[in-house]
Amino acid sequence: FTQSPSFLDWQIRMEQAQGKNNAASLFGVHQIPSDGQIRNLLDPVPPAILFPLMASIGDILFEQGHLHAFRSIGGTYLVALDGTDFFSSKTVSCPCCTNVKLKDGVVQHRHIALTPVMVAPGQESVIALPPEFVTPQDGHDKQDCELAAAGRWLAQHGAHYAARGMTILGDDLYCHQPFCQQVLAARAHFLLTCKPTSHTTLYEWVEELQCMGKMGSLIVSRRVGTKQFTDTYRFASELPLRNSNDALMVNWCEIVTTNANDEVTYQNAWATSHPITADNVAKVVQAGRSRWKIENENNNTLKTKGYHFEHNFGHGQEHLSNLFATMILLAFLLHTALDLLDLRYRAVRSALPSRRTFFEHIRALLLYLPFDSWDHLMTFMLAKLTPDPATG
């Protein structure tokens, strides 16, 4: 939570010198265990024990109206799915590892997390949802994969979020009939990247509709600063997702952006269960393009902004690695929730807009000064960062 590599060691020293410490007052840890004992205690604990807590934090944000700005196409919430590696080794492994045999015959042991997040166009924050891990499944000989993990996530959590309106975002990996049917069975929508190379039948229909003059289209010119761009949209309804008699019929749209020199600067296409018209195609595309936030605002933040998602804090022989990854996601979610819910936390973050600087201040204060509560810490920081003008 504090992004500190040696928080407990310093709290032991603080207790010895001052008779109190922040581990007790801020986290309720009244007897500080050693790192080894922490790992021993946590290794048997499955990460799913924290999933209800993560879901409840998101529920609080929803119930208190902090997620209104996340409503998107069709009044739904956009939930982006993506898998990301957070551990890889050729020597260290556990039963939860995914094992891949390399060309040289060496086995690589990996941990992969599916990290669903709620995203929205124009929103800097993402809301982390309970994860799912790619890990060997009991009774299955076939290697587990990201798509199977996504199916399990839908089975476990889909109904909860679909009740509020949910659209699943994903890359082309997800844009296939079995997964789309799982999404629909959960009473949710899908909006998935759809590439010509993996959807030949659908794109044959696209070309035929284009030749027949039955393709919907919209052209929008816009200026960004001094630069001129043109967005050309194409869209169609009721196209088969695959070449079969039972093919799922989907709606399709595409955007091609060109600059003043008629050079293509962006191009992408999506298949969706949402209806598409000239009135909403731009909003559908905008929603589809927000999928990148799971890579930038979530995975990249977890790996490069102090959360050390790829660091091996302890691998264990059961669940330890996946549990630590879940705890990191929980810390990330709590930081986002505090930014939305707590006025003083938000004020301190505003005074220290760099995430790195904010946590540097938190760590330094907690290493040297004892605080009675989080309120005490936030009040102290706010007073020092925003002095009373009357007193200079």
Side-chain angles (χ1 to χ4, degrees), residues 72-391:
S72 184
I73 185 70
T76 63
Y77 291 104
L78 307 178
V79 174
L81 302 182
D82 192 29
T84 184
D85 282 52
F86 63 93
F87 171 83
S88 178
S89 173
K90 295 179 181 179
T91 57
V92 178
S93 67
C94 72
C96 291
C97 281
T98 295
N99 300 313
V100 179
K101 192 171 184 178
L102 304 178
K103 291 182 178 180
D104 59 5
V106 175
V107 175
Q108 185 179 46
H109 311 289
R110 302 166 60 198
H111 276 263
I112 307 166
L114 184 79
T115 56
V117 291
M118 189 179 296
V119 301
Q123 293 297 312
E124 292 184 6
S125 300
V126 299
I127 309 299
L129 304 180
E132 181 63 43
F133 294 95
V134 178
T135 187
Q137 301 295 301
D138 291 340
H140 292 263
D141 295 329
K142 190 176 179 181
Q143 182 91 288
D144 196 28
C145 64
E146 179 182 334
L147 204 56
R152 292 196 300 274
W153 187 89
L154 273 175
Q156 185 173 356
H157 304 286
H160 179 73
Y161 295 106
R164 301 169 187 167
M166 176 174 69
T167 297
I168 295 293
L169 306 182
D171 60 21
D172 188 75
L173 170 70
Y174 295 89
C175 192
H176 295 281
Q177 183 153 326
F179 182 75
C180 291
Q181 288 175 323
Q182 285 181 288
V183 175
L184 295 175
R187 299 184 180 277
H189 286 277
F190 58 83
L191 178 55
L192 307 168
T193 301
C194 183
K195 294 182 178 181
T197 52
S198 52
H199 296 84
T200 53
T201 298
L202 186 150
Y203 276 89
E204 286 172 1
W205 280 63
V206 167
E207 293 308 311
E208 184 173 349
L209 289 172
Q210 186 69 42
C211 292
M212 296 171 62
K214 295 183 178 180
M215 176 67 65
S217 64
L218 177 70
I219 299 176
V220 178
S221 296
R222 57 186 173 89
R223 182 175 293 275
V224 180
T226 60
K227 297 181 179 180
Q228 184 73 30
F229 294 95
T230 300
D231 295 325
T232 302
Y233 300 93
R234 293 195 300 163
F235 56 94
S237 301
E238 295 292 306
L239 305 183
L241 191 56
R242 67 184 184 187
N243 185 18
S244 66
N245 292 331
D246 63 345
L248 180 67
M249 306 305 284
V250 300
N251 305 318
W252 174 89
C253 63
E254 176 193 65
I255 182 175
V256 178
T257 300
T258 53
N259 60 20
N261 297 323
D262 207 28
E263 299 167 329
V264 175
T265 60
Y266 180 79
Q267 182 173 3
N268 209 343
W270 296 265
T272 181
S273 55
H274 284 288
I276 305 177
T277 66
D279 292 331
N280 75 348
V281 63
K283 291 184 178 179
V284 172
V285 167
Q286 187 182 43
R289 293 185 68 170
S290 64
R291 189 197 71 82
W292 68 269
K293 290 176 178 288
I294 191 172
E295 298 176 358
N296 192 54
E297 305 298 335
N298 186 70
N299 295 344
N300 184 57
T301 296
L302 291 171
K303 293 178 179 181
T304 65
K305 305 299 182 183
Y307 291 97
H308 305 290
F309 196 61
E310 294 178 301
H311 180 75
N312 180 19
F313 292 98
H315 196 77
Q317 291 302 311
E318 294 184 70
H319 304 289
L320 190 63
S321 186
N322 287 349
L323 181 62
F324 277 152
T326 305
M327 288 180 169
I328 292 171
L329 290 167
L330 175 59
F332 178 48
L333 172 60
L334 282 168
H335 295 152
T336 305
L338 283 170
D339 205 27
L340 293 171
L341 294 169
D342 191 287
L343 293 176
R344 279 171 295 187
Y345 184 93
R346 188 159 62 245
V348 173
R349 284 285 283 119
S350 179
L352 300 169
S354 164
R355 186 187 296 267
R356 182 189 300 268
T357 303
F358 172 76
F359 283 108
E360 285 175 353
H361 283 234
I362 291 282
R363 285 193 295 271
L365 288 171
L366 295 187
L367 291 183
Y368 293 103
L369 299 175
F371 292 90
D372 298 330
S373 65
W374 283 106
D375 283 343
H376 183 196
L377 172 62
M378 290 293 107
T379 302
F380 177 89
M381 293 184 72
L382 195 57
K384 298 298 182 182
L385 290 167
T386 56
D388 187 342
T391 61

